[in-house]
Amino acid sequence: MPNPSTTDLNGDFVTSVGVKQRKIATETAITASTTIDAKSVKSVGVTTVVCSSVLYVTNSITNNVSVIDTNTNMVVDTITGFSNPDGIVVNSKTNLVYVYNFVLAQDDALSIIDATTNVIVNTVTDGRGVGQFGIAINESENLLYLASNDDISSYLIILDTISNQIIGTTTVPPDATGVAVDIQRNLIYVTSDTSGIVSVIDGDIGFVVTATVNVGGSPQGISVNELENKIYVATGGPNNLVSVINGNSYVVNATITVGDNPVGIAFNEENNQIYVSNIVSSNISVIDGGLDIVTFTITGGEQPTVITIDEDSNIVYVINQATNNISVIDGNSNELITTITVGILPQGITLFTPLC
């Protein structure tokens, strides 16, 4: 813009080109044309539009967060100032990253990072005993959810990310572990490890538990297919299953045998595939979401846990706790591309893609 452009005082045309959708290293041809003395004149230039996604990884022993450029698969920054950082999530609309810290002998805390500067801008006292699967965000509502456990009970904490104030808590079965959000229906799902239960919490009616589903095992990671209204739960050992919950009836419609002790799980809505990390067998099970069967098994990392997916590029990122690195997997071929070394004992991972 502007289009058509006009010349400046020197006779030069000046214009700007906007990219409406996020692109990853996309070559774009720009054509300029004008008419001089009734003759058409054209000039074509090629530029590369790059919108870098960024990974944030919490490292609990080194008390820092690794920042990874996904175009180069290199650590470009290391943020310090944390205490045993664990679960992490980003609000891409506000450019804020939330890091849960285990603080000894006092209430735990959330560190808030400005993703544009990679600087901690605020710290909020919030929650107890929140693990690597126990943090999620609803960007549409600007609400953060924590699966919290104190010495007496377990509950879901609801934090308003605008005011950084707790606006509600909901009691759930013991040992709350994982959280997932259905933004379309404003529902929150919470797994309870020792109870073998998934709680369904309705955000439209005061965050009350409207249903519980007994999936058995030790459910930890959980992911939602909003299009088909299906919920996938990694039920841990000893069953080595992923439970598939019908989001309409809250009944387990299917169980899928995966590797040894599944803990982490992520859904890619672009290709309807589910990725499951099996921490004991050290592999990743790939599930076809249409058939609900395992179609591929990926090896390459030791003790894989939390998974995140860049759906635009179809790249899967998996934390390997035993080797202190991140597996980078091509979601098209399900092949390991590379590994990225981070800090000691990585716990949580989140993907931030700024608008460009």
Side-chain angles (χ1 to χ4, degrees):
M1 64 180 63
N3 185 15
S5 184
T6 57
T7 56
D8 60 18
L9 294 177
N10 296 321
D12 297 323
F13 287 98
V14 178
T15 187
S16 62
V17 178
V19 181
K20 293 183 178 179
Q21 296 181 343
R22 291 184 275 125
K23 303 287 185 182
I24 303 299
T26 301
E27 285 195 348
T28 300
I30 299 174
T31 302
S33 62
T34 187
T35 301
I36 300 175
D37 295 333
K39 293 182 179 180
S40 179
V41 179
K42 285 188 177 182
S43 177
V44 179
V46 176
T47 187
T48 301
V49 179
V50 178
C51 186
S52 297
S53 295
V54 178
L55 289 169
Y56 289 87
V57 180
T58 57
N59 307 300
S60 63
I61 298 299
T62 44
N63 291 318
N64 55 26
V65 171
S66 299
V67 184
I68 299 168
D69 185 323
T70 60
N71 281 323
T72 62
N73 288 325
M74 295 180 62
V75 175
V76 294
D77 198 359
T78 301
I79 310 171
T80 58
F82 306 95
S83 174
N84 303 307
D86 202 301
I88 186 170
V89 72
V90 63
N91 186 338
S92 296
K93 291 185 177 180
T94 60
N95 297 339
L96 296 177
V97 183
Y98 297 85
V99 180
Y100 182 80
N101 299 263
F102 283 104
V103 183
L104 298 178
Q106 56 184 298
D107 288 337
D108 295 334
L110 278 173
S111 298
I112 304 174
I113 301 169
D114 183 338
T116 61
T117 60
N118 287 335
V119 172
I120 298 174
V121 293
N122 202 353
T123 301
V124 181
T125 300
D126 196 4
R128 296 292 300 273
V130 177
Q132 59 195 144
F133 303 109
I135 184 169
I137 197 163
N138 185 336
E139 292 185 347
S140 296
E141 302 287 333
N142 283 312
L143 295 178
L144 182 76
Y145 304 106
L146 297 171
S148 183
N149 303 274
D150 58 26
D151 296 333
I152 301 173
S153 59
S154 294
Y155 43 94
L156 179 75
I157 292 177
I158 302 100
L159 179 80
D160 184 330
T161 59
I162 302 301
S163 64
N164 288 326
Q165 298 294 316
I166 295 174
I167 63 171
T169 59
T170 302
T171 301
V172 294
D175 203 8
T177 306
V179 181
V181 182
D182 183 336
I183 295 177
Q184 179 179 326
R185 298 170 182 83
N186 199 15
L187 298 174
I188 307 98
Y189 295 91
V190 180
T191 60
S192 294
D193 189 354
T194 57
S195 308
I197 289 175
V198 175
S199 301
V200 185
I201 299 170
D202 194 324
D204 287 332
I205 55 174
F207 299 101
V208 299
V209 176
T210 56
T212 56
V213 185
N214 190 345
V215 296
S218 302
Q220 297 192 42
I222 184 168
S223 190
V224 180
N225 178 345
E226 295 186 14
L227 296 177
E228 298 183 14
N229 200 10
K230 295 161 69 175
I231 302 92
Y232 293 88
V233 187
T235 58
N239 298 326
N240 301 329
L241 298 174
V242 167
S243 295
V244 186
I245 300 172
N246 184 317
N248 295 309
S249 62
Y250 300 124
V251 171
V252 175
N253 277 355
T255 55
I256 307 165
T257 301
V258 290
D260 195 350
N261 200 358
V263 291
I265 193 163
F267 170 68
N268 186 347
E269 67 177 12
E270 292 297 319
N271 59 13
N272 199 19
Q273 288 190 327
I274 301 94
Y275 294 84
V276 184
S277 59
N278 307 300
I279 192 170
V280 173
S281 55
S282 288
N283 53 24
I284 307 296
S285 299
V286 183
I287 298 172
D288 184 315
L291 302 173
D292 284 338
I293 60 173
V294 174
T295 57
F296 207 86
T297 301
I298 306 168
T299 58
E302 293 185 31
Q303 295 184 6
T305 55
V306 185
I307 305 171
T308 192
I309 301 173
D310 187 340
E311 294 184 341
D312 289 337
S313 59
N314 198 16
I315 301 295
V316 182
Y317 301 94
V318 186
I319 283 181
N320 300 308
Q321 284 191 334
T323 47
N324 302 320
N325 59 20
I326 308 299
S327 289
V328 183
I329 298 168
D330 184 334
N332 296 309
S333 63
N334 288 323
E335 293 181 351
L336 180 68
I337 300 172
T338 188
T339 57
I340 307 166
T341 300
V342 290
I344 300 176
L345 198 60
Q347 295 288 335
I349 187 169
T350 192
L351 179 75
F352 171 59
T353 304
L355 295 178
C356 62

